[in-house]
Amino acid sequence: MKILAVDDDKYVLELLDAILKTDGFVEHTLVNSATAALREISNATSPFDCILLDIQMPEMDGIELCGVIRALPHYKTCPILMITAMTDRSYIDRAFAAGATDYISKPFDPLELGTRIRLAEKLVKEQRIATGSARELQSLRNKVGEAFSFSIDDAVTIDEVPGAIDKLVLENYLLQLSRGKIFQSTVIAFAIRDFEKLWSRSSLSDIYMTLVDVADAIALNMKSRSYLLSYCGRGRFVCVTQRIISSALDDLAQRIQASVDEFEAADHDKIQVIMGEPVTMSLLASRNPLQLIDDAIASADQNGLAAQPTSTKPSIWDRINGLFTLR
């Protein structure tokens, strides 16, 4: 696996060199600046498989460099691990929003670093297998004239919206948060009402554009605070942000709905977005952080059911009473 490590501290680079060699990763390049990193990427005969970036660097920091690398054609899915001594959560949130896959805190444990890189290597191998399958699938799609395909349950990645990341990356982000930081987090889910009906009568391109519109509306109304957003399938979105007092959410659902209404084209059905109750980790709880996502989605689903219009169809008792009235 080809690794590129970027850190302006020569002692950290020496330590990284020793750890990588010990773990058997002999094909690695070490540079001390963002400029040198971009030069190595540009001159490489084949793309790097994994990139390690220090967050705090002069000129261009690691977060900005991460965003630049992610925009390159061959680095859309490359594992990018941030190496940071920054304890402020906002830096970590910004790194994930810029496209980071994982992060490691300084001073780092060599065993932990090796484990994270091996996980990245596993991800690279899986991506290569998926890429091969995708190429075969694309060939088949070209024959039938389809541009892309996904199922109703697929957690599609929405690249067009700021702060939107892959669902697996969001899950990893929650798992990597320290116990203190997870208590400072709020998870909110949003659901497109009657998504199954929308799915059944719309083309995949229309569905995708609707998902982009809804994600954009959520992002637009969350931009005043740090957030990460993922689409989870079946018309559901999950947003992770810093802990919010309930009064700050009073009109969030209405503002998001207003934004969706503005984005909608006049010729397609009205899209209604349901917001769930904010979910936080209790101080007394010792549950898996991923349960926050499940609880948030369950709340949005429940609110969606509560928002269903009451049926106007007469009940059996109404019909019986009507018969007696007629007589």
Side-chain angles (χ1 to χ4, degrees), residues 15-317:
L15 181 58
L16 285 172
D17 182 48
I19 294 173
L20 291 172
K21 285 178 179 176
T22 300
D23 285 337
F25 298 107
V26 294
E27 193 176 1
H28 58 268
T29 302
L30 308 174
V31 295
N32 62 4
S33 70
T35 302
L38 292 174
R39 183 168 57 247
E40 290 291 340
I41 290 172
S42 176
N43 295 336
T45 54
S46 61
F48 288 96
D49 298 311
C50 178
I51 299 177
L52 310 178
L53 299 179
D54 179 32
I55 284 187
Q56 198 170 22
M57 295 190 295
E59 298 179 6
M60 181 187 294
D61 68 22
I63 296 174
E64 186 180 354
L65 177 58
C66 179
V68 172
I69 293 172
R70 272 286 179 250
L72 299 175
H74 297 293
Y75 292 89
K76 297 291 186 184
T77 59
C78 170
I80 299 180
L81 283 65
M82 310 303 293
I83 301 175
T84 177
M86 315 296 287
T87 56
D88 189 336
R89 171 176 169 164
S90 65
Y91 287 96
I92 298 170
D93 290 354
R94 283 176 53 218
F96 273 86
T101 309
D102 204 348
Y103 76 95
I104 302 164
S105 299
K106 291 181 183 179
F108 44 78
D109 179 350
L111 179 61
E112 180 189 10
L113 178 60
T115 301
R116 297 289 178 83
I117 294 176
R118 280 190 291 274
L119 287 173
E121 183 180 33
K122 181 180 178 182
L123 177 61
V124 169
K125 290 178 180 178
E126 290 174 349
Q127 286 173 348
R128 284 174 179 166
I129 294 172
T131 299
S133 301
R135 285 173 181 162
E136 294 176 6
L137 182 59
Q138 186 60 50
S139 176
L140 177 61
R141 286 174 183 160
N142 290 339
K143 291 178 183 178
V144 297
E146 289 187 348
F148 59 94
S149 178
F150 57 93
S151 75
I152 190 171
D153 292 307
D154 286 346
V156 181
T157 302
I158 299 174
D159 296 320
E160 295 87 346
V161 176
I165 61 175
D166 184 83
K167 179 175 180 283
L168 290 177
V169 176
L170 183 74
E171 291 176 348
N172 184 56
Y173 166 77
L174 283 176
L175 289 172
Q176 298 305 330
L177 285 179
S178 67
R179 187 170 177 83
K181 289 188 174 70
I182 197 68
F183 288 131
Q184 298 168 16
S185 300
T186 295
V187 181
I188 309 171
F190 304 88
I192 298 175
R193 183 173 165 184
D194 294 330
F195 185 72
E196 288 78 5
K197 292 180 182 178
L198 178 68
W199 178 272
S200 66
R201 62 175 179 255
S202 305
S203 67
L204 283 177
S205 59
D206 285 344
I207 290 289
Y208 183 75
M209 291 312 299
T210 296
L211 297 180
V212 171
D213 281 351
V214 173
D216 208 10
I218 296 170
L220 180 66
N221 288 282
M222 293 294 296
K223 67 180 182 180
S224 62
R225 60 180 63 249
S226 175
Y227 72 92
L228 294 171
L229 175 69
S230 287
Y231 176 65
C232 301
R234 287 198 169 267
R236 299 156 171 162
F237 298 81
V238 167
C239 182
V240 178
T241 185
Q242 293 174 331
R243 205 171 186 115
I244 308 174
I245 57 173
S246 5
S247 60
L249 297 172
D250 286 346
D251 64 342
L252 179 60
Q254 289 83 357
R255 287 188 282 114
I256 290 173
Q257 185 63 54
S259 297
V260 170
D261 293 343
E262 288 180 9
F263 293 153
E264 283 188 281
D267 59 348
H268 68 73
D269 296 333
K270 179 177 175 61
I271 304 301
Q272 184 177 356
V273 179
I274 304 295
M275 186 178 89
E277 300 301 320
V279 177
T280 56
M281 183 74 83
S282 166
L283 287 171
L284 302 178
S286 58
R287 56 181 177 165
N288 188 320
L290 299 187
Q291 186 63 43
L292 295 174
I293 293 178
D294 294 337
D295 291 348
I297 290 175
S299 174
D301 288 346
Q302 187 61 39
N303 285 355
L305 290 174
Q308 294 286 357
T310 305
S311 173
T312 56
K313 184 177 179 180
S315 69
I316 183 65
W317 299 111

